[in-house]
Amino acid sequence: MRDRMRWGAALAACAITAWAILGCGEDPEPTGDDHTQTVMREIFEGIRVALPASIDGSVFSAPNNQGEIFSALDRLARNAALLEKHSQGCNAEMGFLARSVERDAIEAKTSYQHGHYKRAAFVLRQIVESCVICHTRLPSDCGSVVAADFVDKGVMASLPPQPRATLLIATRQFDEALQALEEVLTDPLTHPAIMLGPLTDYLVVAIRVLGDYERPVPVFKAFARRKDLWPSLREDVNDWIAALPSLQERAARASTVTSARAIIDEGEALDEYGDGQGSLLHFIVASSILERYIEAHPMRNAELGEAYYLRGILETRIGRNYWVTTAPFFLEESIRIAPTAPSAAEAIIVLEREMLAAYEGSDIEELPDEEEAHLDELRALIEGS
Ligand code: HEC
């Protein structure tokens, strides 16, 4: 009962923001189970049951559990379809992410139905990436109360801090996610060589979501004192600490694509070794400015096209992984928005490279016909034919 009341309060507090974030122009009249909050809660319920079960293959496929798991996956798929419906006509990125959740949810359900448990578990993890991407786009002062007890209970409690942080972000428990990532960064047993991912997640949540440029400072100071850092990483971390206050000020004032581009150019110059490490902070700050710009400027002109192009470029550099990435979406959108702008000509080159990179490690050397035709269509737009 107490939980129910907490739910109620959280939903009431978040209801307005949720619609604002979805970016729908008209004032929606949420009714019954069509309400976005209800949809989000139902999606969360589906994930809450199915995801922990999917971690252990024998639990996931056990005949005794199949009924409950299947209905959780069904719940997830039905509500993902509603989420997709909600996002139609809203912000294009939300639409893109909602469509991928819907597609993956259907695949998870049908794979499970046909006994392809490994595939279903893989696709479920992929869905979690989409939750993370959607929840980390924009500032939020509205975490989730409903999800508060989700992670530390049962199977989740046994997760190492990094996957735990992913789940916390997926369920909008941003403060707890930062705590988990702080654990990773200070863990003497985790080698700094694998810290770029956690550092990226940490900065994305602190800066893009919570707008908190101060919390990372003591954390990075402690991190820089680690004995096992190589000199260039220590230097970069010290540079980030020094740059945070001025970047905070600039980000607060920035409202144009030009201001984002200036920060990207500075970041580029800091990338001494071409591994993206030195530019990380600047890129994340720039991505935050661009997301806000895109959100606030529905007018499809050359400037918006460039915003999408730059956002796409940044995502190829700071994105979490290749399986689920919005980079191709941003690049394609930039071409469709302003096909004759210089940014479109650049975008098509990067897009082609990204599409090929997605096949890296497979024996495919050329893009499948379908994808080649897709690129041809975009090229024709650029050439104005
Ligand atoms: C298309 C974008 C999008 C995707 C994809 C998405 N969400 Fe959300 N989610 C939102 C928005 C918008 C809110 C409301 C945020 C607010 O009110 O500030 C939200 C809120 C939530 C909440 C908080 C509910 C509450 O009131 O406390 C939870 C939990 C949640 N999402 C879980 C998930 C999970 C799990 C997934 C992946 C299966 C997911 N979301 C995928 C956009 C998305």
mmCIF file of all heavy atoms in Angstrom, residues 144-176:
data_model
loop_
_atom_site.group_PDB
_atom_site.id
_atom_site.type_symbol
_atom_site.label_atom_id
_atom_site.label_comp_id
_atom_site.label_asym_id
_atom_site.label_seq_id
_atom_site.Cartn_x
_atom_site.Cartn_y
_atom_site.Cartn_z
ATOM 1 N N SER A 144 13.012 8.254 -10.758
ATOM 2 C CA SER A 144 11.856 7.404 -10.514
ATOM 3 C C SER A 144 11.829 6.922 -9.076
ATOM 4 O O SER A 144 12.801 6.381 -8.574
ATOM 5 C CB SER A 144 11.883 6.208 -11.446
ATOM 6 O OG SER A 144 10.841 5.342 -11.086
ATOM 7 N N VAL A 145 10.700 7.139 -8.444
ATOM 8 C CA VAL A 145 10.518 6.600 -7.096
ATOM 9 C C VAL A 145 10.037 5.157 -7.200
ATOM 10 O O VAL A 145 10.420 4.296 -6.430
ATOM 11 C CB VAL A 145 9.496 7.455 -6.306
ATOM 12 C CG1 VAL A 145 9.285 6.870 -4.917
ATOM 13 C CG2 VAL A 145 9.981 8.884 -6.210
ATOM 14 N N VAL A 146 9.237 4.910 -8.214
ATOM 15 C CA VAL A 146 8.653 3.568 -8.340
ATOM 16 C C VAL A 146 9.716 2.498 -8.510
ATOM 17 O O VAL A 146 9.558 1.369 -8.073
ATOM 18 C CB VAL A 146 7.688 3.464 -9.536
ATOM 19 C CG1 VAL A 146 6.494 4.337 -9.315
ATOM 20 C CG2 VAL A 146 8.360 3.779 -10.840
ATOM 21 N N ALA A 147 10.804 2.887 -9.171
ATOM 22 C CA ALA A 147 11.822 1.892 -9.475
ATOM 23 C C ALA A 147 12.829 1.755 -8.341
ATOM 24 O O ALA A 147 13.764 0.976 -8.429
ATOM 25 C CB ALA A 147 12.522 2.264 -10.775
ATOM 26 N N ALA A 148 12.597 2.511 -7.264
ATOM 27 C CA ALA A 148 13.625 2.633 -6.224
ATOM 28 C C ALA A 148 14.122 1.312 -5.654
ATOM 29 O O ALA A 148 15.302 1.172 -5.372
ATOM 30 C CB ALA A 148 13.118 3.527 -5.104
ATOM 31 N N ASP A 149 13.226 0.354 -5.497
ATOM 32 C CA ASP A 149 13.653 -0.898 -4.862
ATOM 33 C C ASP A 149 14.032 -1.966 -5.875
ATOM 34 O O ASP A 149 14.296 -3.103 -5.528
ATOM 35 C CB ASP A 149 12.516 -1.448 -3.980
ATOM 36 C CG ASP A 149 12.183 -0.454 -2.894
ATOM 37 O OD1 ASP A 149 13.116 0.216 -2.420
ATOM 38 O OD2 ASP A 149 11.001 -0.349 -2.532
ATOM 39 N N PHE A 150 14.061 -1.585 -7.111
ATOM 40 C CA PHE A 150 14.215 -2.567 -8.177
ATOM 41 C C PHE A 150 15.545 -3.297 -8.136
ATOM 42 O O PHE A 150 15.608 -4.515 -8.106
ATOM 43 C CB PHE A 150 14.029 -1.835 -9.508
ATOM 44 C CG PHE A 150 14.283 -2.667 -10.729
ATOM 45 C CD1 PHE A 150 13.698 -3.913 -10.876
ATOM 46 C CD2 PHE A 150 15.099 -2.182 -11.748
ATOM 47 C CE1 PHE A 150 13.910 -4.661 -12.016
ATOM 48 C CE2 PHE A 150 15.317 -2.927 -12.882
ATOM 49 C CZ PHE A 150 14.725 -4.168 -13.020
ATOM 50 N N VAL A 151 16.616 -2.532 -8.081
ATOM 51 C CA VAL A 151 17.909 -3.141 -8.334
ATOM 52 C C VAL A 151 18.519 -3.873 -7.149
ATOM 53 O O VAL A 151 19.112 -4.927 -7.310
ATOM 54 C CB VAL A 151 18.895 -2.085 -8.873
ATOM 55 C CG1 VAL A 151 20.292 -2.654 -8.967
ATOM 56 C CG2 VAL A 151 18.448 -1.656 -10.259
ATOM 57 N N ASP A 152 18.324 -3.329 -5.949
ATOM 58 C CA ASP A 152 19.047 -3.942 -4.859
ATOM 59 C C ASP A 152 18.408 -5.217 -4.328
ATOM 60 O O ASP A 152 18.933 -5.880 -3.462
ATOM 61 C CB ASP A 152 19.268 -2.927 -3.735
ATOM 62 C CG ASP A 152 20.383 -1.969 -4.130
ATOM 63 O OD1 ASP A 152 21.346 -2.425 -4.759
ATOM 64 O OD2 ASP A 152 20.256 -0.785 -3.862
ATOM 65 N N LYS A 153 17.280 -5.545 -4.875
ATOM 66 C CA LYS A 153 16.617 -6.758 -4.415
ATOM 67 C C LYS A 153 17.009 -7.942 -5.283
ATOM 68 O O LYS A 153 17.304 -7.809 -6.460
ATOM 69 C CB LYS A 153 15.105 -6.561 -4.480
ATOM 70 C CG LYS A 153 14.593 -5.832 -3.253
ATOM 71 C CD LYS A 153 13.097 -5.966 -3.161
ATOM 72 C CE LYS A 153 12.593 -5.224 -1.953
ATOM 73 N NZ LYS A 153 11.209 -4.827 -2.118
ATOM 74 N N GLY A 154 16.981 -9.120 -4.656
ATOM 75 C CA GLY A 154 17.111 -10.377 -5.387
ATOM 76 C C GLY A 154 18.358 -10.464 -6.220
ATOM 77 O O GLY A 154 19.438 -10.048 -5.815
ATOM 78 N N VAL A 155 18.157 -10.979 -7.423
ATOM 79 C CA VAL A 155 19.283 -11.267 -8.302
ATOM 80 C C VAL A 155 20.128 -10.031 -8.600
ATOM 81 O O VAL A 155 21.346 -10.090 -8.688
ATOM 82 C CB VAL A 155 18.773 -11.816 -9.653
ATOM 83 C CG1 VAL A 155 19.912 -12.299 -10.511
ATOM 84 C CG2 VAL A 155 17.768 -12.920 -9.426
ATOM 85 N N MET A 156 19.465 -8.880 -8.741
ATOM 86 C CA MET A 156 20.170 -7.666 -9.139
ATOM 87 C C MET A 156 21.257 -7.273 -8.156
ATOM 88 O O MET A 156 22.267 -6.696 -8.531
ATOM 89 C CB MET A 156 19.191 -6.506 -9.271
ATOM 90 C CG MET A 156 18.303 -6.636 -10.441
ATOM 91 S SD MET A 156 19.264 -6.629 -11.959
ATOM 92 C CE MET A 156 18.179 -7.576 -12.991
ATOM 93 N N ALA A 157 21.016 -7.580 -6.871
ATOM 94 C CA ALA A 157 21.976 -7.179 -5.845
ATOM 95 C C ALA A 157 23.334 -7.818 -6.092
ATOM 96 O O ALA A 157 24.368 -7.273 -5.701
ATOM 97 C CB ALA A 157 21.450 -7.563 -4.473
ATOM 98 N N SER A 158 23.318 -8.955 -6.765
ATOM 99 C CA SER A 158 24.573 -9.659 -6.981
ATOM 100 C C SER A 158 25.344 -9.123 -8.188
ATOM 101 O O SER A 158 26.444 -9.558 -8.483
ATOM 102 C CB SER A 158 24.287 -11.153 -7.176
ATOM 103 O OG SER A 158 23.515 -11.307 -8.340
ATOM 104 N N LEU A 159 24.740 -8.177 -8.893
ATOM 105 C CA LEU A 159 25.421 -7.660 -10.092
ATOM 106 C C LEU A 159 26.624 -6.803 -9.727
ATOM 107 O O LEU A 159 26.586 -6.043 -8.773
ATOM 108 C CB LEU A 159 24.457 -6.784 -10.886
ATOM 109 C CG LEU A 159 23.436 -7.460 -11.772
ATOM 110 C CD1 LEU A 159 22.617 -6.392 -12.477
ATOM 111 C CD2 LEU A 159 24.114 -8.356 -12.793
ATOM 112 N N PRO A 160 27.681 -6.887 -10.515
ATOM 113 C CA PRO A 160 28.803 -5.955 -10.332
ATOM 114 C C PRO A 160 28.323 -4.521 -10.612
ATOM 115 O O PRO A 160 27.333 -4.335 -11.322
ATOM 116 C CB PRO A 160 29.817 -6.396 -11.389
ATOM 117 C CG PRO A 160 29.285 -7.618 -12.019
ATOM 118 C CD PRO A 160 27.871 -7.816 -11.622
ATOM 119 N N PRO A 161 29.039 -3.519 -10.063
ATOM 120 C CA PRO A 161 28.547 -2.138 -10.152
ATOM 121 C C PRO A 161 28.272 -1.628 -11.566
ATOM 122 O O PRO A 161 27.358 -0.849 -11.761
ATOM 123 C CB PRO A 161 29.644 -1.314 -9.490
ATOM 124 C CG PRO A 161 30.652 -2.241 -8.965
ATOM 125 C CD PRO A 161 30.258 -3.636 -9.256
ATOM 126 N N GLN A 162 29.050 -2.083 -12.555
ATOM 127 C CA GLN A 162 28.842 -1.492 -13.877
ATOM 128 C C GLN A 162 27.509 -1.873 -14.541
ATOM 129 O O GLN A 162 26.740 -0.993 -14.919
ATOM 130 C CB GLN A 162 30.022 -1.797 -14.789
ATOM 131 C CG GLN A 162 30.230 -0.683 -15.785
ATOM 132 C CD GLN A 162 31.405 -0.954 -16.703
ATOM 133 O OE1 GLN A 162 32.360 -1.625 -16.319
ATOM 134 N NE2 GLN A 162 31.336 -0.442 -17.911
ATOM 135 N N PRO A 163 27.211 -3.185 -14.666
ATOM 136 C CA PRO A 163 25.882 -3.520 -15.173
ATOM 137 C C PRO A 163 24.759 -3.019 -14.252
ATOM 138 O O PRO A 163 23.674 -2.671 -14.724
ATOM 139 C CB PRO A 163 25.871 -5.044 -15.245
ATOM 140 C CG PRO A 163 27.122 -5.521 -14.634
ATOM 141 C CD PRO A 163 28.065 -4.375 -14.535
ATOM 142 N N ARG A 164 25.053 -2.935 -12.959
ATOM 143 C CA ARG A 164 24.044 -2.395 -12.036
ATOM 144 C C ARG A 164 23.763 -0.942 -12.397
ATOM 145 O O ARG A 164 22.623 -0.499 -12.447
ATOM 146 C CB ARG A 164 24.569 -2.521 -10.596
ATOM 147 C CG ARG A 164 23.612 -2.088 -9.532
ATOM 148 C CD ARG A 164 23.791 -2.843 -8.211
ATOM 149 N NE ARG A 164 25.159 -3.120 -7.830
ATOM 150 C CZ ARG A 164 25.909 -2.317 -7.043
ATOM 151 N NH1 ARG A 164 25.415 -1.202 -6.574
ATOM 152 N NH2 ARG A 164 27.137 -2.660 -6.740
ATOM 153 N N ALA A 165 24.834 -0.187 -12.705
ATOM 154 C CA ALA A 165 24.656 1.225 -13.070
ATOM 155 C C ALA A 165 23.791 1.342 -14.325
ATOM 156 O O ALA A 165 22.906 2.192 -14.408
ATOM 157 C CB ALA A 165 26.011 1.882 -13.298
ATOM 158 N N THR A 166 24.033 0.451 -15.295
ATOM 159 C CA THR A 166 23.237 0.480 -16.527
ATOM 160 C C THR A 166 21.755 0.330 -16.206
ATOM 161 O O THR A 166 20.904 1.067 -16.707
ATOM 162 C CB THR A 166 23.690 -0.651 -17.468
ATOM 163 O OG1 THR A 166 25.044 -0.425 -17.820
ATOM 164 C CG2 THR A 166 22.850 -0.701 -18.724
ATOM 165 N N LEU A 167 21.457 -0.647 -15.342
ATOM 166 C CA LEU A 167 20.058 -0.873 -14.991
ATOM 167 C C LEU A 167 19.469 0.303 -14.218
ATOM 168 O O LEU A 167 18.295 0.637 -14.379
ATOM 169 C CB LEU A 167 19.948 -2.119 -14.124
ATOM 170 C CG LEU A 167 19.813 -3.394 -14.925
ATOM 171 C CD1 LEU A 167 19.826 -4.583 -14.003
ATOM 172 C CD2 LEU A 167 18.514 -3.357 -15.720
ATOM 173 N N LEU A 168 20.296 0.908 -13.396
ATOM 174 C CA LEU A 168 19.808 2.060 -12.631
ATOM 175 C C LEU A 168 19.483 3.226 -13.561
ATOM 176 O O LEU A 168 18.496 3.920 -13.374
ATOM 177 C CB LEU A 168 20.850 2.465 -11.585
ATOM 178 C CG LEU A 168 20.942 1.533 -10.373
ATOM 179 C CD1 LEU A 168 22.249 1.731 -9.610
ATOM 180 C CD2 LEU A 168 19.756 1.744 -9.436
ATOM 181 N N ILE A 169 20.300 3.403 -14.589
ATOM 182 C CA ILE A 169 20.008 4.484 -15.543
ATOM 183 C C ILE A 169 18.746 4.125 -16.329
ATOM 184 O O ILE A 169 17.882 4.964 -16.560
ATOM 185 C CB ILE A 169 21.183 4.733 -16.503
ATOM 186 C CG1 ILE A 169 22.475 5.015 -15.725
ATOM 187 C CG2 ILE A 169 20.881 5.918 -17.416
ATOM 188 C CD1 ILE A 169 23.732 5.065 -16.595
ATOM 189 N N ALA A 170 18.657 2.841 -16.721
ATOM 190 C CA ALA A 170 17.487 2.405 -17.490
ATOM 191 C C ALA A 170 16.197 2.633 -16.716
ATOM 192 O O ALA A 170 15.139 2.823 -17.301
ATOM 193 C CB ALA A 170 17.610 0.928 -17.871
ATOM 194 N N THR A 171 16.287 2.613 -15.407
ATOM 195 C CA THR A 171 15.077 2.804 -14.606
ATOM 196 C C THR A 171 15.072 4.179 -13.917
ATOM 197 O O THR A 171 14.393 4.389 -12.925
ATOM 198 C CB THR A 171 14.933 1.677 -13.565
ATOM 199 O OG1 THR A 171 16.156 1.568 -12.823
ATOM 200 C CG2 THR A 171 14.666 0.349 -14.237
ATOM 201 N N ARG A 172 15.886 5.063 -14.444
ATOM 202 C CA ARG A 172 15.896 6.466 -14.014
ATOM 203 C C ARG A 172 16.241 6.667 -12.549
ATOM 204 O O ARG A 172 15.673 7.530 -11.887
ATOM 205 C CB ARG A 172 14.557 7.145 -14.319
ATOM 206 C CG ARG A 172 14.194 7.151 -15.775
ATOM 207 C CD ARG A 172 12.913 7.899 -16.029
ATOM 208 N NE ARG A 172 13.064 9.327 -15.829
ATOM 209 C CZ ARG A 172 13.520 10.155 -16.755
ATOM 210 N NH1 ARG A 172 13.879 9.706 -17.929
ATOM 211 N NH2 ARG A 172 13.624 11.438 -16.500
ATOM 212 N N GLN A 173 17.168 5.865 -12.029
ATOM 213 C CA GLN A 173 17.629 6.113 -10.660
ATOM 214 C C GLN A 173 19.035 6.682 -10.760
ATOM 215 O O GLN A 173 20.028 6.000 -10.539
ATOM 216 C CB GLN A 173 17.590 4.810 -9.875
ATOM 217 C CG GLN A 173 16.170 4.258 -9.811
ATOM 218 C CD GLN A 173 16.133 2.885 -9.200
ATOM 219 O OE1 GLN A 173 16.206 2.723 -7.994
ATOM 220 N NE2 GLN A 173 16.059 1.887 -10.063
ATOM 221 N N PHE A 174 19.058 7.949 -11.161
ATOM 222 C CA PHE A 174 20.314 8.534 -11.600
ATOM 223 C C PHE A 174 21.329 8.692 -10.471
ATOM 224 O O PHE A 174 22.518 8.461 -10.650
ATOM 225 C CB PHE A 174 20.042 9.876 -12.279
ATOM 226 C CG PHE A 174 19.164 9.740 -13.498
ATOM 227 C CD1 PHE A 174 17.930 10.361 -13.581
ATOM 228 C CD2 PHE A 174 19.576 8.953 -14.568
ATOM 229 C CE1 PHE A 174 17.123 10.218 -14.704
ATOM 230 C CE2 PHE A 174 18.785 8.806 -15.699
ATOM 231 C CZ PHE A 174 17.554 9.439 -15.761
ATOM 232 N N ASP A 175 20.844 9.096 -9.312
ATOM 233 C CA ASP A 175 21.767 9.305 -8.211
ATOM 234 C C ASP A 175 22.445 7.983 -7.821
ATOM 235 O O ASP A 175 23.668 7.914 -7.655
ATOM 236 C CB ASP A 175 20.999 9.904 -7.024
ATOM 237 C CG ASP A 175 21.949 10.347 -5.940
ATOM 238 O OD1 ASP A 175 22.887 11.101 -6.269
ATOM 239 O OD2 ASP A 175 21.778 9.916 -4.786
ATOM 240 N N GLU A 176 21.640 6.939 -7.739
ATOM 241 C CA GLU A 176 22.184 5.622 -7.391
ATOM 242 C C GLU A 176 23.131 5.127 -8.488
ATOM 243 O O GLU A 176 24.124 4.456 -8.213
ATOM 244 C CB GLU A 176 21.059 4.600 -7.192
ATOM 245 C CG GLU A 176 20.181 4.850 -5.984
ATOM 246 C CD GLU A 176 19.110 5.920 -6.226
ATOM 247 O OE1 GLU A 176 19.093 6.548 -7.316
ATOM 248 O OE2 GLU A 176 18.291 6.142 -5.314
#
